[in-house]
Amino acid sequence: MLRINITTQPTRLEYTINNAKLNLQSTQPKVQLETTPATVEIRQPQGELTIDNYPCRYSIGLRNIADFAEDFAALGKQTVMDTIARIAQEGDQLARIESKSNAIADIAANSTISEVSDITYAHIALPDIHYQANPVQFNPMDGKVDLTLQRGTVQGDYQRGSVDIKVTQYPNIEISAVDIKA
């Protein structure tokens, strides 16, 4: 009887691997900011206050020369009118001869009686007060931002990887026939 022997030898490989290399060198970017802040100038000019005491002073008798002259002219005119009325009334009394009264004695008695002065309560005028406010002066100034940029850099050194494959053992098949005696 024949027997067949088959022997196989597999392929053996040897690998030499060099990995790829990437060397990166970078510089950081630089940003410089210079800012000028926004400002606001606000000024409030002083207001103007005007106080006129003349109405108050006039009501208590303290007057300027023009008003004083005008008031005394009016008082003089009134006194003249009152005196004319009194003289006309006395003339009318003297002209009434039909009355039994003594007109001269009555006129003399009336002229010796003085009038009692009355106390007069009068309003004292308020002073004229006026305030003129001046508007606010508002002056805004814009802020500024100055930007200086230095770009960063990236430099790369790339080395390719490699794979070397060597066959250290080639495949082999051996077939042999052996006679077996049984």
Side-chain angles (χ1 to χ4, degrees):
M1 161 162 238
L2 271 180
R3 186 175 169 189
I4 297 179
N5 285 336
I6 301 174
T7 309
T8 61
Q9 181 179 334
T11 303
R12 287 194 180 162
L13 300 174
E14 185 178 288
Y15 298 102
T16 305
I17 299 173
N18 291 325
N19 290 328
K21 293 181 183 175
L22 176 61
N23 294 323
L24 292 177
Q25 296 173 345
S26 63
T27 57
Q28 295 290 328
K30 293 181 183 177
V31 177
Q32 293 178 341
L33 290 176
E34 292 182 22
T35 60
T36 305
T39 57
V40 177
E41 293 177 2
I42 300 174
R43 267 191 48 228
Q44 175 64 57
Q46 205 170 29
E48 296 176 19
L49 177 65
T50 305
I51 300 174
D52 185 9
N53 283 332
Y54 188 71
C56 179
R57 294 170 56 95
Y58 182 88
S59 64
I60 61 172
L62 301 173
R63 302 176 186 128
N64 63 25
I65 293 176
D67 287 338
F68 194 70
E70 185 179 320
D71 290 346
F72 272 115
L75 181 64
K77 183 177 179 183
Q78 185 60 43
T79 304
V80 166
M81 295 307 280
D82 290 345
T83 304
I84 291 172
R86 182 182 51 81
I87 292 172
Q89 182 184 5
E90 290 173 357
D92 288 344
Q93 272 183 337
L94 289 173
R96 272 190 244 123
I97 54 170
E98 70 276 354
S99 72
K100 303 265 184 192
S101 65
N102 187 353
I104 296 176
D106 289 341
I107 292 172
N110 286 338
S111 65
T112 58
I113 299 173
S114 63
E115 293 181 11
V116 178
S117 32
D118 292 334
I119 295 176
T120 305
Y121 296 100
H123 172 71
I124 296 177
L126 296 174
D128 289 336
I129 298 174
H130 178 71
Y131 180 75
Q132 175 65 41
N134 290 323
V136 173
Q137 294 175 352
F138 182 78
N139 185 19
M141 289 183 268
D142 295 336
K144 295 179 184 175
V145 176
D146 293 327
L147 171 71
T148 304
L149 175 65
Q150 291 179 339
R151 293 183 181 265
T153 60
V154 177
Q155 295 177 348
D157 180 23
Y158 178 69
Q159 295 176 357
R160 290 180 174 225
S162 62
V163 177
D164 288 332
I165 303 173
K166 289 183 184 177
V167 178
T168 57
Q169 180 179 323
Y170 287 96
N172 189 7
I173 299 177
E174 289 180 15
I175 302 174
S176 62
V178 179
D179 189 17
I180 301 179
K181 297 192 183 184

